[in-house]
């Protein structure tokens, strides 16, 4: 007898390996044949190594790119040839194209997790004019829509009845399996050329304009004046990486370390003292949940997803994305060890709801309801 099949879809395999492997393994443990469809990248091997069948689909993040027409055709052929009990789509454009291709299928259900709608309070008029209508149309082809922050949960109910919309606590984070001892932490600092007495700020994010690294870079000299022990780890890669590196060189900024894409972020957080994320748009960022789980205070911008996680003056600081003065005030306050410990400790108490074991239960309930397996 042929196994039941489930398909996970995202713009790139790295999105799936970063966030969704536990959910794939859940289906495998329940006898499903798990498939994945994304742009081919180096993370494809991670999925094939755990028994996931991978299909390379040439998605573009630009919704009007002609590559998405080809992607639509390939997916349409796939759905004619193979039957999936469930298709779980992620990332806006890949989710839109896949739902359009799945439309009219007489077998299986399709779920969309919105990791952060591109329209939100404070978003540009262009984003509202483009993405709001597209999401509204695509909702007609969606059996269930999952949101991960309060603002998106409210907006999603404008598209679908409340019983077809769920709110979950992100993608789930795991308490770190490996705890570094004092000697290991010092060794890691040496490997990264960090002064052993440094106050380490970690910025874990893709390097793009939305993640707003420029905010901290333009204030970095003044942050170093506040306390010369501050060091900044920029963890990630992306389209503005060279631009940011050139800005650092041109302005002779000291104490900034570009680490590129890392698979050991949990280790890096254990030598960090503060985590910052100054995005213009977020869904519910895993890096901040991981920071909370390990007891680190966070400096974030006042945008959807970030203000869902951080309580101002309680677990960190929430500032407007153009308020240089408040940014400097935050890092001035965080030079005090006792304050960092106090804020981080409160964050750790709130982090449990975002732990993978709890979020996975939320997803399993939704899967069972959609598949009628209760």
């Amino acid at each position: 007898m042929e196994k039941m099949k489930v398909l996970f879809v995202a713009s790139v395999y790295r999105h799936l390996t970063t966030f969704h492997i536990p959910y794939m393994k859940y289906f495998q443990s329940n006898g499903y044949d798990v498939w994945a469809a994304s742009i081919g990248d180096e993370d494809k091997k991670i999925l094939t190594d755990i028994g996931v069948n991978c299909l390379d689909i040439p998605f573009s993040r630009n919704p009007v790119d002609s590559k998405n027409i080809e992607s639509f055709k390939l997916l349409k052929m796939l759905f004619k040839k193979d039957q999936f009990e469930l298709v779980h789509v992620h990332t806006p454009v890949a989710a839109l194209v896949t739902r359009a291709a799945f439309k009219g299928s007489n077998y299986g259900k399709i779920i969309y997790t919105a990791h952060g709608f591109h329209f939100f309070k404070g978003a540009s008029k262009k984003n509202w004019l483009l993405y709001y209508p597209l999401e509204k149309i695509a909702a007609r082809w969606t059996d269930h829509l999952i949101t991960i922050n309060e603002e998106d949960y409210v907006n999603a109910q404008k598209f679908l009845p409340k019983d077809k919309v769920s709110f979950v606590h992100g993608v789930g984070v795991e308490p770190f399996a490996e705890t570094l001892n004092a000697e290991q932490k010092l060794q890691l600092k040496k490997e990264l050329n960090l002064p052993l007495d440094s106050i380490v700020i970690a910025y874990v994010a893709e390097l793009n304009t939305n993640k707003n690294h420029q905010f901290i870079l333009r204030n970095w000299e003044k942050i170093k004046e506040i306390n010369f022990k501050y060091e900044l780890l920029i963890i990630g890669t992306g389209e503005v990486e060279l631009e940011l590196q050139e800005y650092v060189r041109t302005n002779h900024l000291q104490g900034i370390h570009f680490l590129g894409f890392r698979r050991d972020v949990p280790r890096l957080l254990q030598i960090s003292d503060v985590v910052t994320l100054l995005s213009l748009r977020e869904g519910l960022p895993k890096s901040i949940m991981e920071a909370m789980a390990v007891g680190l205070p966070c400096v974030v911008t006042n945008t959807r997803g970030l203000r869902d996680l951080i309580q101002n003056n309680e677990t960190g600081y929430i500032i407007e994305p153009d308020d240089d003065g408040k940014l400097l005030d935050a890092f001035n306050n965080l030079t005090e060890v006792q304050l960092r410990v106090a804020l981080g400790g409160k964050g750790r108490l709130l982090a449990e709801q975002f732990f993978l074991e709890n979020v996975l239960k939320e997803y399993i309930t939704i899967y069972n309801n959609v598949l009628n397996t209760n």
Side-chain angles (χ1 to χ4, degrees):
M1 182 178 177
E2 187 177 359
K3 284 186 175 182
M4 295 182 293
K5 296 177 183 177
V6 60
L7 173 67
F8 285 78
V9 182
S11 58
V12 292
Y13 286 117
R14 181 166 290 174
H15 176 93
L16 297 177
T17 59
T18 302
F19 301 119
H20 302 297
I21 284 179
Y23 305 92
M24 294 177 169
K25 288 184 175 180
Y26 161 75
F27 278 105
Q28 288 176 326
S29 69
N30 282 275
Y32 282 80
D33 194 9
V34 177
W35 294 52
S38 293
I39 296 172
D41 61 31
E42 61 186 20
D43 279 34
K44 176 180 177 179
K45 186 176 186 303
I46 297 173
L47 295 178
T48 57
D49 284 349
I50 63 170
V52 174
N53 303 285
C54 292
L55 302 167
D56 293 344
I57 304 292
F59 293 116
S60 169
R61 291 184 177 182
N62 180 351
V64 296
D65 192 320
S66 61
K67 289 181 181 178
N68 291 318
I69 297 175
E70 181 183 353
S71 299
F72 171 83
K73 292 177 179 177
L74 290 171
L75 288 166
K76 200 74 176 174
M77 291 171 56
L78 173 68
F79 295 137
K80 285 183 178 179
K81 182 171 66 75
D82 290 282
Q83 291 186 327
F84 295 92
E85 269 66 30
L86 180 69
V87 178
H88 194 168
V89 295
H90 307 268
T91 63
V93 178
L96 172 67
V97 173
T98 305
R99 285 181 287 172
F102 191 76
K103 179 174 68 77
S105 296
N106 55 11
Y107 188 88
K109 299 292 180 69
I110 190 161
I111 294 175
Y112 171 38
T113 295
H115 294 268
F117 288 136
H118 279 275
F119 53 90
F120 56 95
K121 184 179 179 181
S124 68
K125 184 179 289 187
K126 177 184 175 182
N127 275 30
W128 277 94
L129 290 174
L130 178 60
Y131 288 100
Y132 186 89
L134 289 176
E135 291 287 5
K136 186 174 183 179
I137 292 168
R140 302 173 190 169
W141 316 323
T142 308
D143 292 295
H144 203 86
L145 202 164
I146 298 172
T147 59
I148 60 175
N149 61 63
E150 292 288 352
E151 185 177 331
D152 284 354
Y153 181 56
V154 171
N155 280 329
Q157 291 174 58
K158 298 173 184 176
F159 304 149
L160 286 169
K162 191 172 183 178
D163 63 347
K164 291 192 173 184
V165 178
S166 293
F167 171 84
V168 301
H169 291 87
V171 294
V173 295
E174 297 180 83
F176 302 148
E178 178 189 10
T179 301
L180 302 182
N181 59 36
E183 183 179 343
Q184 290 172 318
K185 290 179 181 179
L186 289 176
Q187 182 57 39
L188 183 53
K189 279 193 168 185
K190 288 178 182 178
E191 291 173 10
L192 297 173
N193 295 316
L194 294 168
L196 299 185
D197 63 346
S198 55
I199 305 172
V200 179
I201 304 168
Y203 201 134
V204 186
E206 183 178 348
L207 274 57
N208 59 41
T209 53
N210 173 60
K211 299 300 183 181
N212 200 23
H213 295 78
Q214 195 65 40
F215 188 10
I216 195 169
L217 294 185
R218 72 171 182 253
N219 287 286
W220 186 247
E221 281 189 301
K222 292 181 179 178
I223 292 172
K224 289 287 278 187
E225 289 172 6
I226 289 170
N227 194 315
F228 69 92
K229 292 183 179 180
Y230 272 128
E231 300 279 317
L232 177 62
L233 304 182
I234 295 180
I235 305 165
T237 59
E239 59 194 23
V240 300
E241 183 170 2
L242 295 179
E243 177 184 325
L244 296 176
Q245 290 174 342
E246 181 60 27
Y247 182 89
V248 169
R249 282 192 296 268
T250 301
N251 290 278
H252 309 290
L253 302 182
Q254 302 298 311
I256 297 177
H257 310 262
F258 288 87
L259 303 189
F261 177 76
R262 303 280 296 225
R263 298 195 187 277
D264 62 344
V265 170
R267 295 177 73 243
L268 296 173
L269 290 182
Q270 290 181 64
I271 62 162
S272 300
D273 301 284
V274 182
V275 170
T276 191
L277 187 59
L278 305 173
S279 307
L280 304 176
R281 181 190 75 252
E282 280 295 342
L284 200 73
K286 186 177 182 180
S287 64
I288 299 301
M289 290 184 276
E290 288 181 329
M292 292 170 65
V294 78
L296 295 178
C298 300
V299 179
V300 302
T301 37
N302 184 20
T303 191
R304 173 205 62 185
L306 291 169
R307 58 176 172 257
D308 287 71
L309 294 172
I310 298 303
Q311 297 180 355
N312 194 36
N313 296 314
E314 293 291 328
T315 62
Y317 296 100
I318 301 174
I319 56 180
E320 297 303 324
D322 57 356
D323 195 333
D324 295 349
K326 290 295 185 183
L327 183 71
L328 296 174
D329 288 345
F331 286 113
N332 183 50
N333 293 341
L334 290 169
T335 59
E336 297 294 330
V337 176
Q338 295 88 342
L339 181 61
R340 295 200 301 267
V341 171
L343 296 178
K346 290 179 182 177
R348 188 188 295 111
L349 294 175
L350 296 174
E352 186 174 345
Q353 60 190 316
F354 305 109
F355 284 177
L356 178 61
E357 62 177 335
N358 297 323
V359 177
L360 183 57
K361 290 176 184 176
E362 294 177 338
Y363 267 97
I364 290 172
T365 298
I366 295 167
Y367 289 145
N368 287 341
N369 287 338
V370 171
L371 292 170
N372 296 313
T373 56
N374 280 333

